[in-house]
Amino acid sequence: MADASEAQVIQWRRHIHQHAELSYQEVQTAAYIAEALAKMPGIEMQTGIAKTGIKAVLRGGKPGPVVALRADMDALPVEERSDVPFKSTARGDYLGKPTPVAHACGHDTHVAMLLGAAQALSAVRAELPGTVVFLFQPAEELGPGPTPSGASAMVEAGALDNPKVDVVMGQHISAAAPSGTIGYRRGSLMASIDIFRISLKGKGGHGAMPWLSKDPTLAAAEITLALQNIVSNQTNPLDGSIVVTVGQLQAGNRFNILPETAEIAGTIRSLSINNRKIAQESVRLKAQRIAESYGVTAEVTIESSSGYEVLVSDPAATEAVIPALEAATGPGKTSEIRPTMGSEDFGSFGQNIPVVFWILNASPFSDRAGAPNHAPEFAIDETALRVGVRALVGSAMAYMLRPANAPTSERLQR
């Protein structure tokens, strides 16, 4: 059933790849998806959710749970380096400047595979024991900031209501392992991400007479070192990994002038909800107390409410779909993997209901990994797309057909 549309899935993927669009600019992509969905019997479609998102509903002929399947649509401000005939030549507006745009994270494949799953399930809708909701999401690549990412925006717009969704499933393509293999995890799979910014303000002066100034560079240096103690001394390693990283430290413009201001910026990534909260509070407290000891002020902002939560793949729901993932890949090609400190806004769908997420591998090489996601050279083996369609279709069916006494979701706080 899922393999029948392989050629069409590849065609969809190549078109979307060639016409890449940035976050919340996926106008042509959404129109192309809507055109494809309109040809599938039984699909009820709603467009314009969270600006460019699409929600499509397929009601089965038999009663059962509501399973949502999600694909993200946006591309990255990256110039593609490849010689494929469908290479992206698209350009977009990024931070007010024109820039090359490419699907360097593989979201084109996510969309194509979800369209393939929708087509396959539409063909057997009379036999479906439940309802399937297809979510085509904008702006996963947006990153933390004042504008919510696409997943949280779709939740806020009611994409998981009417019908009320019982579980959300999704997958992410990677070129890091042999093509056609799948990695899953029960529990915390991908990290949350926060961005912190610390603005220090003191009193400038002459480098020869520092006692007449309130030098923010000293406070900035001590704060930077103090933040490295948060992970080792204040968080519980058994509760989940966490990283606190300073990536920017800027102050002054001349060797003999003490500046009035200094800036620190960095990131917190965590696989633990509890450790994440501890780190956020500690960054704020350390910055303010150390600044105060130097007679300067510290303004701390932590951008953490835009949708990049800890992605917890619900253990019970994951257990229910593992056989489907194994069937999709074939024997010995599906395995449980370690968590990653990379981030995905898919976790926003799991704040009140269970979610399941897995990694679909598609290295274009038989003997080694391909380029990492976000690299200009990122490329995949398109034969893996049929495995991804199988995984989506099979997992939806497995969840709908699970025994009535199957374990309920386990909300891990990791």
Side-chain angles (χ1 to χ4, degrees):
M1 175 174 68
D3 288 357
S5 62
E6 181 179 9
Q8 178 66 78
V9 169
I10 291 175
Q11 181 180 332
W12 282 326
R13 181 257 168 161
R14 291 184 176 184
H15 177 92
I16 295 167
H17 185 94
Q18 197 166 23
H19 301 86
E21 295 176 295
L22 295 171
S23 300
Y24 288 129
Q25 299 176 35
E26 311 95 333
V27 177
Q28 293 182 47
T29 303
Y32 185 75
I33 293 168
E35 182 181 2
L37 290 170
K39 299 175 182 177
M40 300 178 191
I43 295 285
E44 305 167 16
M45 185 174 20
Q46 182 180 352
T47 61
I49 301 176
K51 296 185 179 179
T52 54
I54 295 175
K55 174 183 177 180
V57 179
L58 180 66
R59 302 179 191 275
K62 301 176 182 179
V66 180
V67 177
L69 303 176
R70 170 269 202 172
D72 35 9
M73 305 186 296
D74 56 330
L76 288 160
V78 171
E79 185 169 9
E80 182 177 0
R81 295 178 192 158
S82 75
D83 57 2
V84 296
F86 53 92
K87 175 182 178 179
S88 174
T89 58
R91 297 183 68 84
D93 185 316
Y94 182 68
L95 300 178
K97 297 180 180 180
T99 182
V101 181
H103 273 291
C105 203
H107 295 184
D108 54 330
T109 69
H110 300 172
V111 171
M113 289 185 288
L114 187 55
L115 284 173
Q119 187 175 71
L121 291 167
S122 169
V124 296
R125 62 192 180 283
E127 301 303 317
L128 283 182
T131 296
V132 185
V133 176
F134 306 96
L135 301 175
F136 295 88
Q137 176 210 307
E140 190 281 324
E141 299 288 4
L142 188 66
T147 302
S149 71
S152 56
M154 289 196 81
V155 172
E156 182 65 25
L160 302 184
D161 302 320
N162 191 30
K164 183 72 173 177
V165 171
D166 295 305
V167 64
V168 185
M169 301 181 188
Q171 60 185 354
H172 204 299
I173 203 158
S174 167
S179 182
T181 60
I182 285 178
Y184 66 87
R185 181 174 175 80
R186 304 172 181 90
S188 299
L189 175 60
M190 300 186 76
S192 61
I193 178 173
D194 304 311
I195 298 174
F196 61 84
R197 305 182 192 278
I198 304 169
S199 298
L200 301 167
K201 187 173 183 179
K203 180 182 178 183
H206 198 294
M209 295 169 283
W211 56 89
L212 298 178
S213 306
K214 299 293 184 183
D215 185 1
T217 62
L218 296 175
E222 187 168 332
I223 290 169
T224 299
L225 292 175
L227 297 184
Q228 305 311 303
N229 294 328
I230 293 174
V231 173
S232 60
N233 289 359
Q234 294 180 261
T235 61
N236 181 356
L238 300 180
D239 195 44
S241 299
I242 182 168
V243 174
V244 178
T245 303
V246 172
Q248 292 179 302
L249 176 56
Q250 300 172 337
N253 55 22
R254 185 174 167 83
F255 73 94
N256 64 344
I257 299 176
L258 300 180
E260 288 188 340
T261 62
E263 302 287 336
I264 303 170
T267 183
I268 302 168
R269 293 180 182 254
S270 179
L271 291 166
S272 161
I273 295 172
N274 294 329
N275 283 342
R276 181 189 188 191
K277 292 177 181 177
I278 291 170
Q280 290 172 349
E281 294 169 0
S282 295
V283 167
R284 194 180 306 278
L285 185 62
K286 286 178 181 292
Q288 292 173 342
R289 293 292 184 266
I290 292 172
E292 183 180 352
S293 71
Y294 282 93
V296 304
T297 61
E299 180 180 341
V300 183
T301 59
I302 300 178
E303 297 171 355
S304 60
S305 59
S306 56
Y308 295 82
E309 313 297 332
V310 182
L311 197 170
V312 181
S313 203
D314 185 83
T318 302
E319 189 70 31
V321 306
I322 289 174
L325 300 179
E326 292 173 338
T329 62
K333 294 184 178 181
T334 297
S335 61
E336 189 151 17
I337 57 176
R338 294 179 178 179
T340 172
M341 299 309 290
S343 301
E344 234 276 7
D345 75 346
F346 184 82
S348 290
F349 292 116
Q351 298 307 295
N352 297 303
I353 61 174
V355 299
V356 183
F357 202 70
W358 59 87
I359 305 299
L360 171 65
N361 295 302
S363 173
F365 306 111
S366 60
D367 58 346
R368 66 186 189 278
N373 296 67
H374 291 210
E377 301 84 4
F378 179 75
I380 58 100
D381 172 21
E382 290 182 321
T383 65
L385 301 186
R386 68 172 177 264
V387 177
V389 175
R390 289 179 203 159
L392 290 169
V393 171
S395 294
M397 294 292 291
Y399 191 88
M400 288 189 284
L401 293 170
R402 77 196 194 288
N405 61 350
T408 55
S409 65
E410 304 170 26
R411 303 301 298 146
L412 292 187
Q413 295 299 301
R414 285 193 172 186

